[in-house]
C-alpha cells in the first residue's frame, strides 16, 4: 500500500485501495457491477446450500476498492483483511460456519427495526430477535426530543437497544466480503446501506407540530431521538438503555462498509450522524457529560470516540472538525486521569462499558499528540492484564470488575463476557501499534485462540452467530451459548469476531521496512507495497512447527520480527534449513534482517508441553495449558477438582509423566479428560482446579512427609517455582535449599528433610512416562 497525498488531513496517512500498482484496477472494479451478482438469499434451516462460495472478486480487486486510514503516530500498522487469507487451521471451522450465516441471512431482517421506526414497509420481515426487537412500544418510541418528557416511557428498556445488532451485522458482512471477495456478500453490504439511506430520508421528512420531528437531518437510528434527550436529563437504565452504545455500532458498521467494501454512501451517512452528534453534545456542560458517561449502562457509549476520530480521518467534509470535537466530548476524565496516574479505580465498574473507550483514547492521542490518553490506556491495560484476566483472557464477574490482582477470588457463576474479550483485543493491538511490547501480542494470542475461537459453538446456523455470552470459569461451568445469543451484545460482537481472525497474524512498520509475525496461524500474506508474498504452513497449536515461505520476494531488504511467546522454552528458528543465528528469548521478538529471495524459508519450532499456571492471588487454584492452549477438564462437578501434579513433572516443570495425548489436543491425565477451550463444544467443564499435594512426592517417589506450607505456598510450590532446571543436579540443589529453609523456619524436622532428599534422589525426574 502506498500513502496518498494528504489534502487538508492532519497527522495521518490515507491508503486508498492497494497502492500505485493497483491504480489500473478501477476499470475492473467498474466492470464487476455488484447489482449483477447473486441476489441475497433468504434463510433456510439447513446451511448445506450455503457452504460453497459464490462468484467472487480477486483479493487484488477487493483491495483496489478499499480505503484504509492510519495515523502517522503509529509506527506499526495492520494489514487489510484482504491482504491475509487463512489457511487450514483450528480457526477454519469457525470462519466457515460463520460464512454460512452471512450467505444465508436476510437483509430485510436486519433492516426491519430501522424500517418500522421510519414508518417504511418491512417487506414482511421480522427482527432478528433477542435485544434486536421491536419492543413493547415501538410506535410511541419514535418520539422526537420535543415530544418526550422524563418518565414518559413506562414500557421499560425492551426494544431500546434495537439497531445495535444491525450495525454489527453490517461490520461483519463487510469483513466477510473483504476476506472472501464474494459478490453476494458485497450485495448485502450495499443493500443494507441503501436501506439505511431510505430510513434516514424518511426520518428527516417526519414532522411534529409543523416542524421537523428530529433535531438534525443526519439523525439515523432504529428508535426516536428521545433516548438521547432523556440521557441528557440523566434518565437511568430501565427508562432508556444505552443510546450511544447503539449509535456506535451503527457508525462502526457504516465506516466498515466504506473502508472494506468501498461504499461511498456509507461514509455520507456516517458524516450525517457525526454532525448530529456534535449538534447535541456541544451544548452539554462538562459536568453534564461527566455525569452522563459515568452513569451505569445508560451512559455506556461503546467506542463513540474511536469511530468519530476515524470519521474525522476519512472525511473530506468542510465541517469535519466537528467529528474530532465530538470525539473529545466522549472522554470520561475521571477514569482517564486515574489510569494515567496508575491509580486503580476499576473495582465495581462495568467492564465492557469502559473497555471500548480506550481504543478511542489511543486514536485521540495519535491525532492530538496528547500522550495523556496513551498513558491512560497503557495504565488501564496493566490493571486488567494479568491481575483481572482469567486463563482464557476474559475479564469480569457478572460484567463487573472486582478488586485489583484478584482472579481466583473473583471466580463466580458468570465470568468473562465475550464483548469484553473482543474489545480487550482492540486495546492490545492499538497499544502495539504505538509501542511494540510483546506482552500485548502474548495477550492477543491467548485471548483470540481460547476465548474468541472457543466462544463460537461448533455448530452451523443460518439464523444466528452461535456465539456465547459469558465464557465462565467456575467448576462445572457451561458456555453461555443459549440460542446462539441472537440479538445480544455478545451475539453482535460475535458477528464480527469469526470473520477477522487474520487481522492480528501479521503487522507492518509504517515505512514498509519491517514485518511482524505475531501469530503462527496457517495463512498467506500479500503485501502489495513491497512485492512480498508469503505463505505460512502450520498446524500450530496442534503441532509445534510453522514454516514461512517467501513465494514472491520483496523489492528490498526486509526485517522480519518473529514473536517468541513468553511461556515458550527452547524455540528454534532456521532460515533455509540453517540456524538463523539470532537472539531467541521468551517474551521478545527474534529479528532476521536480510534481503530475501523467492523460495526462502523461515522455520519456527516452538516446543509444546503441558504446564500449570496458578492464579495471581492464589497459588493452589491453577489451570493447565498446552503451549498457548487452555485445557479444560470435562466434568459436571460443581466443586473444584482436586488434582496432584508434582509427581508428574519433569525437569522443565512440565506435566510429562502419566499423560496421554490424542488428536485435536485432547489429553488424559489421571483418568480425567482435558480438552482445548477453543474447540467450541457445549459441555460442562473446569478451567481451574485445586492443586493438592498432601505429601512431598517426586516422579512417583513418595517421601511420606506431609507437604508443609508457608505464606500461602507449599514446599513443593517453592521447589517447582524454580523450574525449569538445567539438569538433575540443579533440581536436587533446589530441593535441598527449600527444604533447609523450612527446617530453619521450624516447619520441617531434620529427619523428614532427609526423607524428602532421599525421595528426590531416587526420583527418575529426568526420565519420561
Amino acid at each position: 500500500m502506498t500513502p496518498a497525498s494528504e489534502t487538508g488531513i492532519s497527522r495521518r496517512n490515507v491508503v486508498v485501495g492497494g497502492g500505485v500498482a493497483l491504480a489500473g484496477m478501477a476499470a475492473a472494479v467498474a466492470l464487476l457491477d455488484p447489482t449483477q451478482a447473486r441476489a441475497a438469499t433468504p434463510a433456510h434451516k439447513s446451511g448445506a446450500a450455503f457452504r460453497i462460495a459464490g462468484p467472487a472478486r480477486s483479493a487484488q480487486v477487493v483491495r483496489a476498492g478499499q480505503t484504509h486510514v492510519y495515523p502517522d503516530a503509529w509506527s506499526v500498522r495492520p494489514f487489510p483483511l484482504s491482504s491475509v487469507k487463512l489457511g487450514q487451521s483450528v480457526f477454519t471451522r469457525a470462519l466457515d460456519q460463520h460464512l454460512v450465516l452471512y450467505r444465508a441471512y436476510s437483509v430485510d431482517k436486519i433492516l426491519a427495526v430501522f424500517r418500522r421506526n421510519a414508518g417504511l414497509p418491512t417487506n414482511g420481515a421480522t427482527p432478528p430477535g433477542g435485544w434486536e426487537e421491536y419492543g413493547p412500544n415501538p410506535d410511541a418510541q419514535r418520539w422526537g426530543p420535543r415530544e418526550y418528557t422524563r418518565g414518559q416511557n413506562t414500557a421499560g428498556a425492551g426494544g431500546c437497544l434495537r439497531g445495535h445488532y444491525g450495525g454489527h451485522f453490517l461490520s461483519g458482512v463487510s469483513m466477510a466480503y473483504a476476506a472472501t471477495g464474494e459478490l453476494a456478500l458485497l450485495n448485502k453490504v450495499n443493500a443494507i446501506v441503501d436501506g439505511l439511506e431510505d430510513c434516514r430520508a424518511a426520518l428527516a421528512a417526519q414532522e411534529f407540530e409543523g416542524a421537523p420531528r428530529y433535531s438534525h437531518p443526519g439523525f439515523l437510528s432504529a428508535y426516536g431521538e428521545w433516548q438521547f434527550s432523556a440521557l441528557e436529563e440523566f434518565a437511568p437504565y430501565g427508562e432508556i438503555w444505552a443510546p450511544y452504545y447503539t449509535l456506535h455500532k451503527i457508525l462502526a458498521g457504516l465506516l466498515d462498509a466504506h473502508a472494506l467494501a468501498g461504499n461511498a454512501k456509507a461514509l455520507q451517512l456516517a458524516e450525517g450522524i457525526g454532525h448530529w452528534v456534535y449538534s447535541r453534545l456541544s451544548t452539554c456542560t462538562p459536568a453534564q457529560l461527566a455525569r452522563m458517561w459515568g452513569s451505569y449502562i445508560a451512559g455506556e457509549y461503546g467506542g463513540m470516540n474511536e469511530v468519530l476520530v476515524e470519521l474525522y480521518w476519512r472525511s473530506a467534509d468542510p465541517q469535519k472538525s466537528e467529528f474530532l470535537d465530538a470525539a473529545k466530548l466522549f472522554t470520561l476524565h475521571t477514569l482517564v486521569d486515574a489510569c494515567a496516574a496508575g491509580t486503580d479505580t476499576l473495582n465495581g465498574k462495568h467492564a465492557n462499558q469502559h473497555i471500548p473507550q480506550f481504543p478511542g483514547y489511543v486514536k485521540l492521542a495519535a491525532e492530538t499528540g496528547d500522550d495523556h490518553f496513551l498513558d491512560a490506556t497503557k495504565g488501564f491495560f496493566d490493571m486488567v492484564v494479568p491481575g483481572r484476566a482469567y486463563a482464557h483472557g476474559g475479564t469480569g464477574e457478572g460484567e463487573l470488575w472486582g478488586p485489583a490482582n484478584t482472579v481466583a477470588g473473583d471466580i463466580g457463576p458468570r465470568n468473562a463476557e465475550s464483548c469484553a474479550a473482543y474489545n480487550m483485543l482492540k486495546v492490545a493491538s492499538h497499544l502495539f501499534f504505538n509501542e511494540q511490547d510483546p506482552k500485548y501480542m502474548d495477550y492477543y494470542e491467548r485471548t483470540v485462540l481460547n476465548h474468541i475461537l472457543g466462544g463460537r459453538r461448533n455448530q452451523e446456523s443460518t439464523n444466528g452467530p452461535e456465539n456465547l455470552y459469558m465464557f465462565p470459569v467456575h467448576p462445572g461451568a457451561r458456555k453461555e451459548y443459549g440460542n446462539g445469543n441472537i440479538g445480544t451484545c455478545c451475539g453482535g460482537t460475535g458477528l464480527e469476531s469469526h470473520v477477522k481472525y487474520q487481522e492480528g497474524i501479521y503487522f507492518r512498520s509504517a515505512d514498509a521496512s519491517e514485518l511482524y509475525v505475531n501469530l503462527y496461524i496457517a495463512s498467506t500474506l500479500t503485501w502489495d507495497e513491497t512485492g512480498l508474498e508469503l505463505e505460512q504452513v502450520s498446524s500450530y497449536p496442534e503441532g509445534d512447527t510453522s514454516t514461512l515461505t517467501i513465494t514472491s520476494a520483496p523489492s528490498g531488504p526486509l526485517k522480519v520480527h518473529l514473536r517468541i511467546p513468553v511461556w515458550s522454552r527452547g524455540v528454534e528458528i532456521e532460515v533455509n534449513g540453517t540456524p538463523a543465528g539470532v537472539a531467541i528469548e521468551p517474551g521478545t521478538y527474534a529479528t532476521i534482517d536480510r534481503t530475501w529471495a523467492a523460495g526462502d524459508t523461515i522455520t519456527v519450532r516452538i516446543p509444546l508441553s503441558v504446564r500449570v499456571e496458578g492464579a495471581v492471588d492464589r497459588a493452589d487454584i491453577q489451570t493447565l495449558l498446552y503451549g498457548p492452549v487452555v485445557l479444560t477438564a470435562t466434568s459436571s462437578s460443581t466443586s473444584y477438582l482436586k488434582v496432584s501434579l508434582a509427581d508428574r513433572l519433569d525437569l522443565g516443570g512440565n506435566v510429562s509423566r502419566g499423560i496421554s495425548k490424542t488428536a485435536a489436543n485432547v489429553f488424559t491425565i489421571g483418568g480425567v479428560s482435558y480438552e482445548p477451550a477453543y474447540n467450541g463444544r457445549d459441555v460442562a467443564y473446569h478451567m481451574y482446579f485445586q492443586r493438592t499435594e498432601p505429601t512431598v512426592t517426586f516422579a512417583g517417589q513418595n517421601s511420606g512427609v506431609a507437604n508443609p506450607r508457608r505464606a500461602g505456598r507449599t514446599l513443593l510450590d517453592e521447589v517447582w517455582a524454580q523450574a525449569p532446571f538445567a539438569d538433575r543436579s540443579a533440581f536436587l540443589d533446589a530441593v535441598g535449599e527449600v527444604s533447609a529453609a523450612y527446617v530453619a523456619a521450624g516447619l520441617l524436622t531434620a529427619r523428614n528433610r532427609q526423607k524428602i532428599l532421599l525421595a528426590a534422589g531416587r526420583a527418575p525426574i529426568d526420565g519420561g512416562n
Side-chain angles (χ1 to χ4, degrees):
M1 296 171 290
T2 304
S5 61
E6 297 183 12
T7 307
I9 301 175
S10 65
R11 304 183 66 84
R12 72 198 187 282
N13 290 330
V14 181
V15 181
V16 180
V20 175
L22 297 182
M25 285 293 171
V29 172
L31 290 173
L32 286 169
D33 182 356
T35 61
Q36 303 302 313
R38 179 161 54 95
T41 312
H44 291 269
K45 291 182 179 179
S46 169
F50 302 100
R51 292 177 191 149
I52 306 300
R57 293 174 171 174
S58 69
Q60 191 179 34
V61 171
V62 172
R63 287 194 295 279
Q66 295 180 336
T67 303
H68 298 280
V69 187
Y70 309 117
D72 290 340
W74 285 0
S75 55
V76 165
R77 298 167 184 182
F79 284 97
L81 293 179
S82 52
S83 292
V84 183
K85 185 176 179 61
L86 287 182
Q88 188 66 37
S89 72
V90 296
F91 293 92
T92 311
R93 67 97 182 159
L95 170 63
D96 291 345
Q97 289 166 341
H98 228 63
L99 289 174
V100 167
L101 172 67
Y102 278 122
R103 292 173 187 136
Y105 208 77
S106 164
V107 166
D108 285 334
K109 286 185 72 67
I110 291 298
L111 290 171
V113 292
F114 293 94
R115 287 170 170 163
R116 173 72 181 271
N117 181 64
L120 299 176
T122 63
N123 298 336
T126 57
W131 301 351
E132 192 78 347
E133 58 173 335
Y134 290 139
N137 204 7
D139 296 322
Q141 288 175 350
R142 295 173 182 165
W143 296 309
R146 292 179 296 116
E147 296 171 74
Y148 188 76
T149 303
R150 271 295 314 278
Q152 187 174 339
N153 177 36
T154 59
C160 287
L161 208 68
R162 59 184 181 266
H164 79 110
Y165 193 75
H168 280 299
F169 190 94
L170 181 55
S171 286
V173 76
S174 299
M175 294 170 185
Y177 164 69
T180 66
E182 292 182 33
L183 291 172
L185 301 179
L186 177 61
N187 266 359
K188 292 192 175 187
V189 173
N190 294 334
I192 292 171
V193 174
D194 288 346
L196 291 176
E197 183 186 44
D198 292 342
C199 290
R200 188 177 76 169
L203 294 173
Q206 290 181 13
E207 292 189 347
F208 175 73
E209 295 181 346
R213 173 178 249 177
Y214 302 115
S215 66
H216 191 285
F219 174 70
L220 174 60
S221 187
Y223 45 75
E225 196 175 351
W226 66 276
Q227 281 205 72
F228 300 92
S229 302
L231 175 62
E232 290 165 10
E233 297 180 13
F234 315 124
Y237 169 57
E239 181 180 344
I240 62 175
W241 200 325
Y244 280 107
Y245 174 94
T246 302
L247 193 67
H248 164 237
K249 310 312 172 192
I250 297 169
L251 254 177
L254 291 168
L255 290 177
D256 284 332
H258 173 249
L260 302 175
N263 190 302
K265 191 181 298 181
L267 181 61
Q268 294 170 2
L269 289 172
E271 290 168 336
I273 294 174
H275 289 308
W276 169 79
V277 171
Y278 179 76
S279 73
R280 287 211 69 104
L281 293 186
S282 60
T283 65
C284 294
T285 67
Q288 188 179 13
L289 292 170
R291 183 171 171 183
M292 287 162 57
W293 307 148
S295 62
Y296 177 74
I297 294 187
E300 184 174 357
Y301 60 74
M304 279 297 298
N305 51 359
E306 181 188 8
V307 291
L308 285 166
V309 175
E310 187 81 16
L311 180 60
Y312 172 76
W313 287 342
R314 295 229 197 122
S315 177
D317 189 306
Q319 295 180 301
K320 69 175 188 173
S321 61
E322 291 188 354
F323 308 147
L324 182 60
D325 290 340
K328 295 174 183 176
L329 296 175
F330 287 96
T331 300
L332 185 56
H333 291 283
T334 53
L335 180 61
V336 169
D337 293 346
C339 289
T343 303
D344 193 325
T345 63
L346 300 186
N347 188 19
K349 283 185 169 61
H350 186 282
N352 202 53
Q353 178 166 348
H354 299 293
I355 298 171
Q357 300 170 19
F358 285 91
Y361 296 143
V362 174
K363 288 186 175 179
L364 278 170
E367 178 56 38
T368 65
D370 186 351
D371 284 343
H372 187 62
F373 288 116
L374 191 58
D375 291 341
T377 307
K378 290 192 286 187
F380 166 76
F381 182 90
D382 289 342
M383 292 170 191
V384 176
V385 182
R388 289 184 173 93
Y390 301 105
H392 59 358
T395 187
E397 158 55 23
E399 302 189 9
L400 305 179
W401 279 307
N405 297 313
T406 305
V407 172
D410 209 29
I411 291 176
R414 298 195 72 228
N415 289 107
E417 185 183 5
S418 179
C419 287
Y422 165 94
N423 284 304
M424 281 301 297
L425 290 179
K426 295 184 74 171
V427 175
S429 59
H430 282 48
L431 285 173
F432 191 89
F433 298 150
N434 285 273
E435 180 180 321
Q436 289 71 63
D437 190 328
K439 71 182 181 182
Y440 298 129
M441 296 314 293
D442 279 324
Y443 171 80
Y444 193 104
E445 176 186 50
R446 174 176 295 222
T447 307
V448 76
L449 173 64
N450 296 291
H451 199 306
I452 299 299
L453 178 58
R456 212 293 177 184
R457 180 157 46 193
N458 189 3
Q459 177 176 300
E460 242 175 33
S461 174
T462 60
N463 70 335
E466 297 300 320
N467 199 77
L468 55 72
Y469 194 108
M470 294 286 187
F471 197 149
V473 301
H474 63 275
R478 294 290 292 263
K479 298 175 184 177
E480 286 192 9
Y481 288 126
N483 69 343
N485 282 292
I486 296 170
T488 69
C489 58
C490 294
T493 52
L495 287 170
E496 301 177 33
S497 290
H498 310 295
V499 288
K500 61 171 187 171
Y501 286 119
Q502 67 269 48
E503 73 176 0
I505 301 176
Y506 309 101
F507 292 152
R508 46 156 292 184
S509 65
D511 64 2
S513 67
E514 301 174 66
L515 174 69
Y516 288 81
V517 181
N518 304 309
L519 305 177
Y520 298 99
I521 299 174
S523 54
T524 57
L525 167 67
T526 302
W527 191 353
D528 292 311
E529 190 175 354
T530 65
L532 173 69
E533 294 180 10
L534 177 152
E535 180 181 15
Q536 181 174 180
V537 176
S538 174
S539 59
Y540 184 86
E542 295 183 345
D544 63 5
T545 302
S546 295
T547 300
L548 298 95
T549 301
I550 309 295
T551 55
S552 177
S555 53
L558 180 69
K559 286 184 181 179
V560 178
H561 303 285
L562 303 156
R563 187 176 65 87
I564 311 302
V566 68
W567 48 262
S568 64
R569 298 290 183 272
V571 174
E572 299 172 354
I573 300 175
E574 295 180 345
V575 175
N576 298 331
T578 301
V582 296
I584 302 174
E585 295 292 335
T588 69
Y589 278 79
T591 300
I592 302 172
D593 187 2
R594 58 175 283 167
T595 298
W596 301 90
D600 283 346
T601 61
I602 304 171
T603 302
V604 182
R605 180 178 176 270
I606 305 175
L608 301 174
S609 57
V610 176
R611 70 186 195 284
V612 294
E613 182 177 273
V616 66
D617 56 328
R618 192 170 156 186
D620 65 325
I621 301 300
Q622 300 184 344
T623 192
L624 280 180
L625 295 99
Y626 179 64
V629 180
V630 173
L631 298 174
T632 58
T634 304
S635 170
S636 59
S637 170
T638 56
S639 298
Y640 282 113
L641 300 179
K642 308 290 186 181
V643 177
S644 297
L645 294 172
D647 63 345
R648 301 182 186 277
L649 303 181
D650 58 25
L651 288 174
N654 300 313
V655 181
S656 62
R657 297 176 59 82
I659 179 172
S660 64
K661 177 179 180 290
T662 56
N665 280 343
V666 176
F667 293 82
T668 301
I669 306 172
V672 177
S673 177
Y674 293 83
E675 58 185 42
Y678 63 68
N679 67 8
R681 286 224 305 149
D682 191 1
V683 296
Y685 61 89
H686 289 233
M687 188 171 293
Y688 288 93
F689 55 84
Q690 187 167 19
R691 183 76 171 269
T692 176
E693 265 99 20
T695 59
V696 178
T697 305
F698 302 104
Q701 293 295 312
N702 193 337
S703 70
V705 176
N707 189 15
R709 176 183 298 271
R710 64 176 179 175
R713 298 204 302 173
T714 68
L715 182 148
L716 284 173
D717 290 334
E718 293 189 43
V719 169
W720 289 109
Q722 299 184 38
F725 299 107
D727 51 33
R728 182 182 184 83
S729 177
F731 162 71
L732 293 174
D733 287 345
V735 175
E737 291 169 6
V738 173
S739 61
Y742 271 76
V743 171
L747 300 173
L748 185 69
T749 67
R751 180 175 176 79
N752 281 341
R753 178 175 183 255
Q754 284 300 111
K755 292 179 181 179
I756 291 171
L757 294 175
L758 284 171
R762 293 170 181 158
I765 195 69
D766 44 4
N769 283 340

